[in-house]
């Protein structure tokens, strides 16, 4: 079950309403259209997405170029990253219905994406789920440039989530975080919790949640 909202109208999406064979991994919203993307299903990989234009009352299934781990909206398009760590194929769409493919710089566990004015930032773990020196940036969500945490003045990280809000990017791992106002120069700190799985922003607050 996934909870989605558009600030004023919350609703709950029960996965079997669409299909029982997709693990929905991400959701994004723009201008009346909600889009969800899927990763690994119960038995196979599913390159799937679905969209709703009536506050989640009805959904229409579509197909992305690849299974997806996460999604965001920015610069006129929905952009989703590959679920499989052996794949570099991204999915992007201007309307959430018709999809095209792009390419990430490395096959790795790309599991977080955020957009600030003029810049997408994608974060990752290595193929074993450990810290990596790699992250990526893009101006259009299609062409990506590989970046290095250490070159940008900070340490490697097994990134689990990223959000943009309050004028900065915030990236979290299990117990640490990084912040940046531009996506290129970063500072680090400790979360004060362990097993952090996600971070979000709203109403002036960043909230990180833990799996326990």
């Amino acid at each position: 079950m996934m909870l989605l909202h558009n600030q004023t109208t919350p609703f709950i999406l029960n996965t079997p309403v669409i299909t029982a064979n997709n693990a929905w991994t991400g959701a994004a919203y723009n201008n009346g259209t909600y889009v969800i993307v899927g990763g690994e299903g119960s038995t196979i990989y599913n390159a799937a997405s679905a969209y709703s234009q009536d506050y989640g009352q009805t959904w229409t299934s579509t197909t992305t170029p690849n299974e997806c781990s996460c999604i965001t909206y920015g610069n006129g398009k929905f952009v989703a990253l590959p679920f499989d760590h052996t794949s570099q194929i991204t999915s992007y769409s201007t309307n959430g219905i018709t999809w095209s493919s792009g390419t990430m710089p490395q096959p790795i566990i790309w599991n977080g994406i955020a957009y600030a004015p003029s810049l997408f930032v994608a974060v990752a773990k290595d193929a074993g789920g450990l810290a990596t020196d790699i992250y990526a940036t893009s101006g259009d969500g299609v062409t990506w440039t590989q970046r290095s945490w250490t070159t940008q003045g900070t340490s490697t990280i097994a990134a689990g989530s990223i959000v943009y809000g309050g004028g900065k990017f915030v990236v979290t791992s299990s117990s640490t975080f990084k912040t940046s106002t531009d996506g290129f120069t970063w500072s680090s700190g400790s979360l004060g919790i362990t097993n952090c799985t996600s971070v979000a922003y709203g109403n002036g607050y960043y909230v990180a949640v833990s799996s326990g």
Side-chain angles (χ1 to χ4, degrees), residues 32-206:
T33 299
Y34 294 87
V35 176
I36 58 174
V37 292
E40 186 178 12
S42 58
T43 57
I44 60 172
Y45 285 108
N46 293 275
S49 67
Y51 68 92
S52 174
Q53 297 176 326
D54 59 3
Y55 301 106
Q57 299 304 306
T58 60
W59 291 83
T60 302
S61 296
T62 59
T63 301
T64 54
N66 200 5
E67 69 273 7
C68 304
S69 64
C70 52
I71 185 173
T72 194
Y73 181 87
N75 197 16
K77 60 177 70 71
F78 295 94
V79 180
L81 302 184
F83 183 92
D84 185 359
H85 68 83
T86 65
S87 175
Q88 295 171 250
I89 299 173
T90 65
S91 304
Y92 67 91
S93 172
T94 58
N95 57 15
I97 301 170
T98 304
W99 294 85
S100 301
S101 63
T103 305
M104 294 304 288
Q106 290 286 342
I108 200 170
I109 302 176
W110 296 104
N111 57 3
I113 184 172
Y115 179 77
S118 77
L119 189 72
F120 292 90
V121 175
V123 296
K125 301 176 184 178
D126 73 8
L130 303 177
T132 179
D133 193 38
I134 296 171
Y135 76 102
T137 61
S138 174
D140 60 7
V142 179
T143 302
W144 290 85
T145 300
Q146 182 172 315
R147 306 290 181 183
S148 162
W149 293 114
T150 53
T151 299
Q152 303 304 132
T154 187
S155 58
T156 61
I157 187 173
S161 185
I162 182 173
V163 69
Y164 181 84
K168 65 181 70 173
F169 293 97
V170 176
V171 180
T172 59
S173 69
S174 176
S175 59
T176 64
F177 70 91
K178 298 182 185 297
T179 64
S180 174
T181 57
D182 61 6
F184 300 102
T185 302
W186 298 83
S187 59
S188 302
S190 174
L191 284 173
I193 61 174
T194 58
N195 301 316
C196 175
T197 58
S198 186
V199 63
Y201 175 85
N203 198 30
Y205 291 90
Y206 301 93

